[in-house]
Every structure is written in structure tokens, then in C-alpha cells.
Amino acid sequence: MSEGRPLRLLGLHGYRQNERRFRERTGALRKALRGRVELVALSAPHPVPGGGDSDDDPRGWWFSGPGTFEAQEEAAAPAGLEESLAAVAVALAERGPFDGLLGFSQGAALAAMACALRARGDPRFPVTFAILVAGFASRAPAHGHFYQQPIALPTLHVVGDADAVIPPRLSQELAQCFVEPVILTHPGGHFVPAAAPQKKAYLDFLDRFRPAQGQAELPGAGAI
């Protein structure tokens, strides 16, 4: 990686998580990338109804039904997305600067939407790349506009072959919405992998960026 400050990533957790849970579940990744990456987690603005005790505080980025979420649902009236995009924009402005986004599951889907807006020139999302773990494209017709044009922003898509929550084909479909996506597959399930092979893949992707200059080079298409 280029010399200079660590890359700063804004982390977007999965459905029913929050920033504290996300930090716990990315501990191995943060250790693997120590000195190279600073990960700052953000909690979604929407509490998940009936989410358990107050200490747990599960959160969601949007709902496909009243207080519920299902990744493969073609939701007729999804709720909460605009508030979440606004929350990400505020975090980027007030807690930045950030170089990129790291999203997991529903957070990866949200990060992909932010990438689409960034690629269209939306100044609220000044990031140069994203790492999308167990991501998917929203099936809600109201969200279809995010995927109408190829998204020209560098991305690394992390796909678990044994993921039973977000089937691998959904993450592969999201990757095809991007221009020259880089795809990393691993044999595990629904988690953020950080074993030696994945660590190398993350660093290979991040090495394409120049944090001292705040610029990024477009990665070539391929799979890791």
C-alpha cells in the first residue's frame, strides 16, 4: 500500500446489528488490516421493532414490510431508505474524510446504493471505493433506479459460498451492477472473513488506492 495515512472506511452493519455489534464482528478484520485501515462504524437510524432487550438495540437501514426485512422480497412500499442515506451522508461529512465504504449484508446493499449515487455525481457521498460483503441488490421496484446504469466505482465483492442468509447468487448479481467489479469468494457463510487468503485479497484491492493523494485507480475486472 502507498505510504501515508491509513485508509478510512465508514462501516455499515447488517440488519438487526448496530455499530457496537459490527465492531465486535469485524474484530478479526480490523486486526488483519491494522495500520492500513481505520474502520469507523455507523449505526442505522431505525430501531428494529421487538428487537429484544435495550442493551442489544438492533437496527435496520430500511424495511421491506412494517418493521420487517427480507432481502429477496419485492417490497411494494419499502420504508426508511432515504433517512439512512441521509445518515450516511451526515457521517461522511461530520466524521470524515473517508476514502471508502465497507458494508455487510443490508449495509452492503445500502453502500452499493450510495456508490450508485456517487457515480452519478451526488456530492453527499465523496468516496472512491467500497468493499461489499454478502451484499445484494434490493428487489423493491422503488429502488430499481439504483441499478439502471452500470455503477462506475471500484468495488470488492466478498461472497460466501456457504452463505445461507444471502445466497451467493445474490451477491454475484449485485457485483454485475458495477463496472469491472473485483470478486472474492470464500468457503464460509454469513460473516466478514479475515483469514490469511482474504487478508491478502483485501490488501491487494486496497493497494490500488493512494490515500496520501485521496485518489484511486480503477481496478481491473477479475476474481480473487
Coordinates of all heavy atoms in Angstrom, one line a residue, residues 72-135:
Q72 N -34.9 -10.8 -0.2 CA -35.4 -11.2 -1.5 C -36.9 -10.8 -1.8 O -37.5 -11.1 -2.8 CB -35.3 -12.7 -1.7 CG -33.9 -13.2 -1.6 CD -33.7 -14.6 -2.0 OE1 -34.0 -15.0 -3.1 NE2 -33.2 -15.5 -1.1
E73 N -37.4 -10.0 -0.9 CA -38.8 -9.5 -1.0 C -38.9 -8.4 -2.0 O -38.2 -7.4 -1.9 CB -39.4 -9.1 0.3 CG -40.8 -8.7 0.3 CD -41.4 -8.3 1.6 OE1 -40.7 -8.5 2.6 OE2 -42.5 -7.8 1.7
E74 N -39.8 -8.5 -2.9 CA -40.1 -7.4 -3.9 C -41.1 -6.4 -3.2 O -42.3 -6.4 -3.5 CB -40.7 -7.9 -5.2 CG -39.7 -8.8 -6.0 CD -40.2 -9.3 -7.3 OE1 -41.3 -8.9 -7.7 OE2 -39.5 -10.1 -7.9
A75 N -40.6 -5.7 -2.3 CA -41.4 -4.9 -1.4 C -42.1 -3.8 -2.2 O -41.5 -3.0 -2.9 CB -40.5 -4.2 -0.3
A76 N -43.4 -3.7 -2.0 CA -44.2 -2.7 -2.7 C -44.0 -1.3 -2.1 O -44.1 -0.3 -2.8 CB -45.7 -3.1 -2.7
A77 N -43.8 -1.3 -0.8 CA -43.7 0.0 -0.1 C -42.5 0.0 0.9 O -42.8 0.0 2.1 CB -45.0 0.4 0.6
P78 N -41.3 -0.1 0.5 CA -40.2 -0.1 1.4 C -40.1 1.2 2.1 O -40.4 2.3 1.6 CB -38.9 -0.3 0.5 CG -39.4 0.3 -0.9 CD -40.9 0.0 -1.0
A79 N -39.6 1.2 3.4 CA -39.6 2.4 4.2 C -38.3 2.6 4.9 O -37.6 1.6 5.3 CB -40.7 2.3 5.3
G80 N -37.8 3.8 4.9 CA -36.7 4.2 5.7 C -35.4 4.4 5.0 O -34.4 4.8 5.6
L81 N -35.4 4.1 3.7 CA -34.1 4.2 2.9 C -33.6 5.7 2.9 O -32.4 5.9 3.1 CB -34.3 3.7 1.5 CG -33.0 3.8 0.7 CD1 -31.9 2.9 1.2 CD2 -33.3 3.3 -0.8
E82 N -34.4 6.6 2.6 CA -33.9 8.0 2.4 C -33.3 8.5 3.7 O -32.3 9.2 3.7 CB -35.0 8.9 2.0 CG -35.5 8.7 0.5 CD -34.3 8.8 -0.5 OE1 -33.5 9.7 -0.3 OE2 -34.2 8.0 -1.4
E83 N -33.9 8.2 4.9 CA -33.3 8.6 6.1 C -31.9 8.0 6.3 O -31.0 8.6 6.9 CB -34.2 8.2 7.3 CG -35.6 8.9 7.3 CD -36.7 8.2 6.5 OE1 -36.3 7.4 5.6 OE2 -37.8 8.5 6.7
S84 N -31.8 6.7 5.9 CA -30.5 6.1 6.1 C -29.4 6.6 5.1 O -28.3 6.8 5.6 CB -30.7 4.5 5.8 OG -31.4 4.0 6.9
L85 N -29.8 6.9 3.9 CA -28.8 7.6 3.0 C -28.4 8.9 3.6 O -27.2 9.3 3.5 CB -29.4 7.7 1.6 CG -29.6 6.4 0.8 CD1 -30.4 6.7 -0.5 CD2 -28.2 5.9 0.4
A86 N -29.4 9.6 4.2 CA -29.1 10.9 4.8 C -28.1 10.8 5.9 O -27.2 11.6 6.1 CB -30.3 11.6 5.2
A87 N -28.3 9.7 6.7 CA -27.5 9.4 7.9 C -26.0 9.1 7.5 O -25.1 9.6 8.1 CB -28.0 8.3 8.7
V88 N -25.9 8.4 6.4 CA -24.6 8.1 5.8 C -23.9 9.4 5.3 O -22.7 9.6 5.6 CB -24.7 7.0 4.7 CG1 -23.3 6.9 4.0 CG2 -25.1 5.7 5.3
A89 N -24.7 10.2 4.6 CA -24.1 11.5 4.1 C -23.7 12.3 5.3 O -22.6 13.0 5.2 CB -25.2 12.2 3.3
V90 N -24.4 12.4 6.4 CA -24.0 13.2 7.5 C -22.7 12.7 8.1 O -21.8 13.4 8.5 CB -25.2 13.3 8.6 CG1 -24.7 13.9 9.9 CG2 -26.3 14.1 8.0
A91 N -22.7 11.3 8.3 CA -21.5 10.7 8.9 C -20.2 11.0 8.0 O -19.1 11.3 8.5 CB -21.7 9.2 9.0
L92 N -20.4 10.9 6.7 CA -19.3 11.2 5.8 C -18.8 12.6 5.9 O -17.6 12.9 5.9 CB -19.7 10.9 4.3 CG -19.9 9.4 4.0 CD1 -20.5 9.3 2.6 CD2 -18.6 8.7 4.0
A93 N -19.8 13.5 6.1 CA -19.4 15.0 6.2 C -18.8 15.3 7.6 O -17.8 16.1 7.7 CB -20.6 15.8 6.0
E94 N -19.4 14.8 8.7 CA -19.1 15.2 10.0 C -18.0 14.4 10.7 O -17.3 14.9 11.5 CB -20.3 15.2 10.9 CG -21.4 16.2 10.5 CD -22.6 16.2 11.4 OE1 -22.6 15.3 12.4 OE2 -23.4 17.1 11.3
R95 N -17.8 13.1 10.2 CA -16.8 12.3 10.8 C -15.7 11.9 9.8 O -14.8 11.2 10.2 CB -17.4 11.0 11.3 CG -18.6 11.3 12.3 CD -19.4 10.0 12.6 NE -18.7 9.0 13.4 CZ -19.2 7.8 13.7 NH1 -20.5 7.6 13.5 NH2 -18.5 7.0 14.4
G96 N -15.7 12.5 8.7 CA -14.7 12.3 7.6 C -13.5 13.1 7.8 O -13.3 13.8 8.8
P97 N -12.6 13.1 6.8 CA -12.9 12.5 5.5 C -12.7 11.0 5.5 O -12.0 10.4 6.3 CB -11.8 13.1 4.6 CG -10.6 13.4 5.5 CD -11.3 13.8 6.8
F98 N -13.5 10.3 4.6 CA -13.4 8.9 4.4 C -12.9 8.6 3.0 O -13.3 9.3 2.0 CB -14.7 8.2 4.6 CG -15.1 8.2 6.1 CD1 -16.0 9.2 6.6 CD2 -14.7 7.2 6.9 CE1 -16.4 9.1 7.9 CE2 -15.1 7.2 8.3 CZ -15.9 8.1 8.8
D99 N -12.2 7.5 2.8 CA -11.8 7.0 1.5 C -12.8 6.1 0.9 O -13.0 6.1 -0.4 CB -10.5 6.3 1.6 CG -9.4 7.2 2.1 OD1 -8.9 8.1 1.3 OD2 -9.0 7.1 3.3
G100 N -13.5 5.3 1.7 CA -14.4 4.3 1.1 C -15.4 3.8 2.1 O -15.5 4.3 3.3
L101 N -16.3 2.9 1.7 CA -17.3 2.3 2.5 C -17.0 0.8 2.6 O -16.5 0.1 1.7 CB -18.7 2.4 1.8 CG -19.2 3.9 1.6 CD1 -20.4 3.8 0.7 CD2 -19.4 4.6 2.9
L102 N -17.3 0.2 3.8 CA -17.3 -1.2 4.0 C -18.7 -1.6 4.5 O -19.1 -1.2 5.6 CB -16.2 -1.6 4.9 CG -16.0 -3.2 5.1 CD1 -14.6 -3.5 5.4 CD2 -16.9 -3.8 6.1
G103 N -19.4 -2.4 3.7 CA -20.8 -2.7 4.1 C -20.9 -4.2 4.2 O -20.3 -5.0 3.5
F104 N -21.8 -4.7 5.2 CA -22.1 -6.1 5.4 C -23.6 -6.3 5.2 O -24.4 -5.6 5.9 CB -21.6 -6.5 6.8 CG -22.0 -7.9 7.1 CD1 -21.5 -9.0 6.4 CD2 -22.9 -8.2 8.1 CE1 -21.8 -10.3 6.7 CE2 -23.3 -9.5 8.4 CZ -22.8 -10.5 7.7
S105 N -24.0 -7.3 4.4 CA -25.3 -7.7 4.2 C -26.2 -6.5 3.8 O -26.0 -5.9 2.8 CB -25.8 -8.4 5.5 OG -27.0 -9.2 5.3
Q106 N -27.2 -6.1 4.7 CA -28.1 -5.0 4.3 C -27.2 -3.7 4.2 O -27.5 -2.8 3.4 CB -29.2 -4.8 5.3 CG -30.3 -3.8 4.8 CD -31.3 -3.4 5.8 OE1 -30.9 -3.1 7.0 NE2 -32.5 -3.4 5.5
G107 N -26.2 -3.6 5.0 CA -25.3 -2.5 5.0 C -24.5 -2.4 3.7 O -24.2 -1.4 3.1
A108 N -24.2 -3.6 3.1 CA -23.5 -3.7 1.8 C -24.5 -3.2 0.7 O -24.1 -2.5 -0.3 CB -23.0 -5.1 1.5
A109 N -25.8 -3.6 0.8 CA -26.8 -3.2 -0.2 C -26.9 -1.7 -0.1 O -27.0 -1.0 -1.2 CB -28.1 -3.9 0.1
L110 N -26.9 -1.1 1.1 CA -27.0 0.4 1.2 C -25.8 1.0 0.6 O -25.9 2.0 -0.1 CB -27.2 0.7 2.7 CG -27.3 2.2 3.0 CD1 -28.6 2.8 2.5 CD2 -27.1 2.5 4.4
A111 N -24.6 0.5 0.9 CA -23.3 1.0 0.4 C -23.4 1.0 -1.1 O -22.9 2.0 -1.8 CB -22.1 0.3 0.9
A112 N -23.9 0.0 -1.7 CA -24.0 -0.1 -3.2 C -24.9 1.0 -3.7 O -24.6 1.6 -4.8 CB -24.5 -1.4 -3.6
M113 N -26.0 1.3 -3.0 CA -26.8 2.4 -3.4 C -26.1 3.8 -3.3 O -26.2 4.6 -4.2 CB -28.1 2.5 -2.6 CG -29.0 1.3 -2.7 SD -30.3 1.3 -1.5 CE -31.2 -0.2 -1.9
A114 N -25.3 4.0 -2.3 CA -24.5 5.2 -2.1 C -23.5 5.3 -3.2 O -23.2 6.4 -3.8 CB -23.8 5.2 -0.8
C115 N -22.9 4.1 -3.6 CA -22.0 4.1 -4.7 C -22.6 4.6 -6.0 O -22.0 5.3 -6.8 CB -21.4 2.7 -4.9 SG -20.2 2.2 -3.6
A116 N -23.9 4.1 -6.2 CA -24.6 4.5 -7.4 C -24.8 6.0 -7.5 O -24.6 6.6 -8.5 CB -25.9 3.7 -7.5
L117 N -25.2 6.5 -6.4 CA -25.4 8.0 -6.3 C -24.1 8.7 -6.5 O -24.0 9.7 -7.2 CB -26.0 8.4 -5.0 CG -27.5 7.8 -4.7 CD1 -27.9 8.1 -3.3 CD2 -28.4 8.4 -5.8
R118 N -23.0 8.2 -5.9 CA -21.7 8.8 -6.1 C -21.3 8.8 -7.5 O -20.8 9.8 -8.1 CB -20.7 8.1 -5.2 CG -19.2 8.5 -5.5 CD -19.0 9.9 -4.9 NE -17.6 10.3 -5.1 CZ -17.2 11.0 -6.2 NH1 -18.0 11.3 -7.2 NH2 -15.9 11.3 -6.2
A119 N -21.5 7.7 -8.2 CA -21.1 7.6 -9.6 C -21.9 8.5 -10.5 O -21.4 8.9 -11.6 CB -21.4 6.1 -10.1
R120 N -23.1 8.9 -10.0 CA -23.9 9.9 -10.8 C -23.5 11.3 -10.5 O -24.1 12.3 -11.0 CB -25.4 9.7 -10.5 CG -26.0 8.4 -10.9 CD -27.4 8.3 -10.4 NE -28.0 7.0 -10.4 CZ -29.1 6.7 -9.8 NH1 -29.9 7.6 -9.3 NH2 -29.5 5.4 -9.8
G121 N -22.6 11.5 -9.5 CA -22.1 12.8 -9.2 C -22.7 13.4 -7.9 O -22.5 14.6 -7.7
D122 N -23.4 12.6 -7.1 CA -24.0 13.1 -5.9 C -22.9 13.5 -4.9 O -22.1 12.7 -4.5 CB -24.9 12.0 -5.3 CG -25.8 12.6 -4.1 OD1 -25.3 13.5 -3.4 OD2 -26.9 12.1 -4.0
P123 N -22.8 14.8 -4.6 CA -21.7 15.2 -3.7 C -21.8 14.8 -2.3 O -20.8 15.0 -1.5 CB -21.8 16.8 -3.9 CG -23.2 17.1 -4.1 CD -23.7 15.9 -5.0
R124 N -22.9 14.2 -1.9 CA -23.1 13.8 -0.5 C -22.2 12.6 -0.2 O -22.0 12.3 1.0 CB -24.5 13.5 -0.2 CG -25.5 14.7 -0.3 CD -26.9 14.2 0.0 NE -27.3 13.2 -1.0 CZ -28.4 12.4 -0.8 NH1 -29.1 12.5 0.3 NH2 -28.7 11.5 -1.8
F125 N -21.7 11.9 -1.2 CA -21.1 10.6 -1.0 C -19.7 10.6 -1.6 O -19.4 9.9 -2.6 CB -21.9 9.4 -1.5 CG -23.3 9.4 -1.0 CD1 -24.4 9.9 -1.7 CD2 -23.5 8.9 0.3 CE1 -25.6 9.9 -1.2 CE2 -24.8 8.9 0.8 CZ -25.9 9.4 0.1
P126 N -18.7 11.4 -1.0 CA -17.4 11.6 -1.6 C -16.4 10.4 -1.3 O -15.4 10.6 -0.6 CB -16.9 12.9 -1.0 CG -17.6 12.9 0.4 CD -18.9 12.2 0.2
V127 N -16.8 9.2 -1.7 CA -15.9 8.1 -1.5 C -15.4 7.6 -2.9 O -16.0 7.9 -3.9 CB -16.7 6.9 -0.8 CG1 -17.1 7.3 0.6 CG2 -17.9 6.5 -1.6
T128 N -14.3 6.9 -2.8 CA -13.7 6.4 -4.1 C -13.7 4.9 -4.3 O -13.3 4.5 -5.4 CB -12.2 6.9 -4.1 OG1 -11.5 6.5 -2.9 CG2 -12.1 8.4 -4.2
F129 N -14.2 4.2 -3.3 CA -14.3 2.7 -3.5 C -15.2 2.2 -2.4 O -15.6 2.9 -1.4 CB -12.9 2.0 -3.5 CG -12.3 2.1 -2.1 CD1 -12.5 1.1 -1.2 CD2 -11.4 3.1 -1.8 CE1 -11.9 1.1 0.1 CE2 -10.8 3.2 -0.6 CZ -11.0 2.2 0.4
A130 N -15.6 0.9 -2.5 CA -16.3 0.2 -1.5 C -16.0 -1.3 -1.5 O -15.6 -1.9 -2.5 CB -17.8 0.4 -1.7
I131 N -16.1 -1.8 -0.3 CA -16.0 -3.3 -0.1 C -17.3 -3.8 0.4 O -17.8 -3.3 1.4 CB -14.9 -3.6 1.0 CG1 -13.5 -3.2 0.5 CG2 -14.8 -5.1 1.3 CD1 -12.4 -3.3 1.5
L132 N -17.9 -4.7 -0.4 CA -19.3 -5.1 -0.1 C -19.3 -6.6 0.2 O -19.0 -7.4 -0.6 CB -20.1 -4.8 -1.4 CG -20.1 -3.4 -1.9 CD1 -20.9 -3.3 -3.2 CD2 -20.5 -2.4 -0.9
V133 N -19.6 -6.9 1.5 CA -19.6 -8.3 2.0 C -21.0 -8.8 2.1 O -21.8 -8.2 2.8 CB -18.8 -8.3 3.4 CG1 -18.7 -9.8 3.8 CG2 -17.5 -7.7 3.3
A134 N -21.3 -9.9 1.4 CA -22.6 -10.5 1.5 C -23.6 -9.5 1.0 O -24.7 -9.4 1.6 CB -22.9 -11.1 2.9
G135 N -23.4 -8.8 0.0 CA -24.3 -7.8 -0.5 C -25.3 -8.3 -1.4 O -25.3 -9.5 -1.8

